Structure formats: structure tokens, C-alpha cells
Amino acid sequence: MATAQTFSTEHVRRAERTAYWRDHIWASMGRFDVVANDPQFRATVISRQVGGFTVARVKAPSHVLSRNHQQARGDDRRLFKFVVQHKGTIYIEQNDKRLALKPGHWTLYDTTRPFRFYSEEETRQSAVLLRAEDLHLKDLAPYSLRNHSTAQGYSSMLQSALITAVSDHGRDCAEGDVGVMIARLTRLALLEHGSLEGRRTSHEVMRERIDGYLDQHLSRSDLSIDTIAQGLNCSKRYLHKVFLEGDCTLSEHILQRRLEASRKSLIDPSAAQQSVTDIAYAWGFSSLAYFSRVFKQSYGMSPRDYRAAHGSDTAERAG
């Protein structure tokens, strides 16, 4: 995964810190106004690119961040900011709505439209910038400025994923996999908290929940329909029923997910020192012979040959 980048006002002269912070925000999100309520204005952001997303952890003193109509004019990127609050309270105003975001809660707002964001104390939060198309939703506006708890469900999983992504523990994760997981968990968290897509069938929603569970547990060797049913608090019969109208069974879907994850690991430079056996076991396979057989059936060549054809020289030596 890409190295985390740290941006801080600590090394800048006090008189220049607010402008320095503003210029950094402009580079990533567009033109804004920043007013510091704290003359010290010691602020830090640690960010990392995961897939196509920017994930960040921010610490800042009392300040006001705003965007007016003139600054927003012509900006059609529709970048939304998903914020999980860890310390202090931030207030967000947009489209005649006002939200007080306290620790243990999250919200979503449109950074490319006029808004006002302010705090009266030091605050800390995790955040990710995304677009509606990243989540396969027609529009994120209906989900904006709603206050939701991170105490349970997919919101809790997403909070953990965001924290891990920008921490040292995230360095060993595959960038694409983490990006996909964050996007999927964000979508599931939105749908879990009052989805406006009422026309979606219960089976479609359950498919999303199953894939979210697999994102978290695919590497478990004991993963089975029994453990999925227990984890999602539903019957095995219902799980099978969800996949009746699809082109594969749930067991086949799990196998496909494991094979695809293994295939990516085989050609991932960060996994070049891992053997084929290690990769197979890491993604829940308990037999190398079985893994090699089903891999060849799916991709037309053995895992070692596939790695040799698509991977690096180091990966070839790892075998």
C-alpha cells in the first residue's frame, strides 16, 4: 500500500499556519476559506491513497472552514466527504441543514457545494473522499447530513477500516483490496441506515450483506455457509435462496472470491516473497492440491505458471 503522508502546520510560522492549511485543502478539495480561532493553530492530517480513494486522519484546533457559491461555481466533481468523529464536536451547515457531529458518529456531506464546517475545540476525525459512482449509487445527496452511530453493524466495520488504512498496520495490506473494502463498507453503511433505495429487493440487500461479510472473513479456513448464517443472523436456507436466481451457488461464489483474491496476491509485488502455498492458505484454502486444481480450471494455468507469466522475477523465485 502507498506510504502514509503527514501534513502538519507545526513547522510553519504561526502567522502563516492558517494559509498553509488552506493551501493544502485547496490542493485536494478545491477553494475554501479558513479562519483559525486558535492563534497557535497546530493541525495535522495523515493521509494515504487506497485504490482510488484518499483516506485521512485529521487533528485540528478550533477553526471555521467554509465554501461560498463563487468558490463552488464550476466545480462538477461532486466529491463527498464521509466523516467519522473521534474527539470533540464539529458543526456542519449545508442546504439549510445543521448537524452537530459528536464522537462515535458519522455523516456525509458534499464538499463541492457551499457549506460551513466549524468547531469550538480540538477535534479528531477519520475521513474518506468519494463520489456517488464509486458506491454504485445514482446520487449521494439524499444521504447527506444525517447523523449515524458507529456503535454497530457496517458503520463499526467501516470505522475500523478507515483507522487501519491510515495506520502503520495498513502498510502490509493490498491497496486495491482495502479500497474495494472501504467502498463496499461505505455503501453498506449508507444502505443500513435508512436506504432510500426502497425498490431494491431483499435478496439484493442480502447479497450486499453477504459480500460485506466475505470482505471481513474470506481468509478464514473455517468459513462456511454455517458461519455466514450465524454471522448474519439468518438461516442457511435463506442464504441458498438468495443465490437461486443468480449464475452460481453461494459455495461457488465463495470459491470465486477466494480464487480472485489469490490471483491478485500472486501478482502483487508486495506479496512477492510469499510462496504459492502461503498465499493459498492465507485466503482460506486448506489443500494446495485442491487450490492448484481449481485455480487452473478458472485461469487456464497453474498458480506457479500464472505467477511466472504475470509476476516479477522475485515472485517467480518465491514459487
Side-chain angles (χ1 to χ4, degrees):
M1 186 186 293
T3 302
Q5 303 294 319
T6 300
F7 175 89
S8 176
T9 62
E10 291 281 353
H11 66 284
V12 180
R13 291 192 303 174
R14 291 183 187 177
E16 300 174 355
R17 287 178 178 177
T18 302
Y20 186 70
W21 186 257
R22 180 201 62 203
D23 291 346
H24 173 71
I25 295 173
W26 282 14
S28 59
M29 295 168 54
R31 295 177 64 85
F32 293 87
D33 289 324
V34 180
V35 177
N37 298 326
D38 183 343
Q40 301 285 337
F41 200 71
R42 292 189 173 96
T44 303
V45 58
I46 302 173
S47 63
R48 178 177 270 136
Q49 289 294 125
V50 289
F53 308 100
T54 300
V55 181
R57 186 169 66 244
V58 183
K59 180 183 75 172
S62 174
H63 71 289
V64 180
L65 178 68
S66 62
R67 189 173 214 200
N68 59 40
H69 287 280
Q70 183 175 358
Q71 291 167 332
R73 187 177 297 121
D75 193 341
D76 59 357
R77 295 173 300 162
R78 299 308 303 275
L79 279 176
F80 287 78
K81 190 175 184 180
F82 189 103
V83 184
V84 178
Q85 193 68 9
H86 303 306
K87 177 184 177 182
T89 300
I90 58 174
Y91 301 89
I92 307 172
E93 298 173 354
Q94 188 170 57
N95 296 330
D96 298 321
K97 294 181 181 179
R98 182 178 183 273
L99 177 75
L101 192 66
K102 298 182 178 182
H105 291 77
W106 63 265
T107 195
L108 182 82
Y109 69 97
D110 189 346
T111 65
T112 54
R113 296 293 178 264
F115 72 89
R116 186 168 181 263
F117 170 115
Y118 63 97
S119 63
E120 299 172 349
E121 59 188 325
E122 181 181 273
T123 59
R124 297 185 185 186
Q125 61 265 158
S126 295
V128 59
L129 285 173
L130 41 81
R131 302 166 299 172
E133 52 265 38
D134 295 327
L135 306 179
H136 306 291
L137 294 170
K138 292 181 180 179
D139 188 10
L140 290 180
Y143 300 91
S144 296
L145 283 192
R146 295 186 172 193
N147 210 336
H148 302 297
S149 171
T150 61
Q152 58 187 3
Y154 293 111
S155 296
S156 177
M157 295 180 191
L158 178 58
Q159 175 179 234
S160 298
L162 291 178
I163 293 173
T164 300
V166 293
S167 71
D168 289 338
H169 299 294
R171 291 182 303 177
D172 298 327
C173 302
E175 177 180 318
D177 292 340
V178 174
V180 169
M181 180 178 69
I182 287 176
R184 193 187 299 279
L185 287 174
T186 302
R187 173 184 171 87
L188 288 169
L190 290 171
L191 296 176
E192 182 177 50
H193 289 278
S195 170
L196 299 183
E197 295 190 335
R199 291 186 295 270
R200 286 165 50 87
T201 68
S202 60
H203 285 186
E204 288 174 326
V205 174
M206 179 54 77
R207 282 288 294 255
E208 293 275 2
R209 292 186 63 202
I210 291 169
D211 275 323
Y213 186 87
L214 293 181
D215 286 339
Q216 298 290 313
H217 302 284
L218 195 62
S219 62
R220 286 177 50 178
S221 60
D222 64 342
L223 178 68
S224 66
I225 295 175
D226 284 310
T227 58
I228 295 173
Q230 183 177 1
L232 298 180
N233 194 28
C234 65
S235 68
K236 292 189 295 180
R237 183 176 177 221
Y238 183 64
L239 290 178
H240 287 299
K241 188 176 180 181
V242 167
F243 280 80
L244 276 180
E245 298 176 358
D247 54 2
C248 67
T249 66
L250 176 53
S251 295
E252 290 168 342
H253 182 64
I254 295 171
L255 176 60
Q256 290 171 3
R257 288 285 307 271
R258 281 179 161 161
L259 284 170
E260 181 59 14
S262 301
R263 183 193 68 79
K264 289 181 179 178
S265 293
L266 285 170
I267 60 176
D268 184 354
S270 66
Q273 298 299 326
Q274 289 184 278
S275 68
V276 171
T277 302
D278 290 339
I279 289 173
Y281 288 157
W283 288 111
F285 290 96
S286 56
S287 166
L288 180 60
Y290 173 70
F291 168 66
S292 298
R293 184 172 72 253
V294 294
F295 189 96
K296 186 172 183 179
Q297 289 173 352
S298 295
Y299 300 105
M301 61 180 72
S302 71
R304 285 184 175 82
D305 290 342
Y306 189 91
R307 169 176 262 184
H310 299 86
S312 64
D313 292 338
T314 305
E316 288 181 41
R317 291 194 295 271

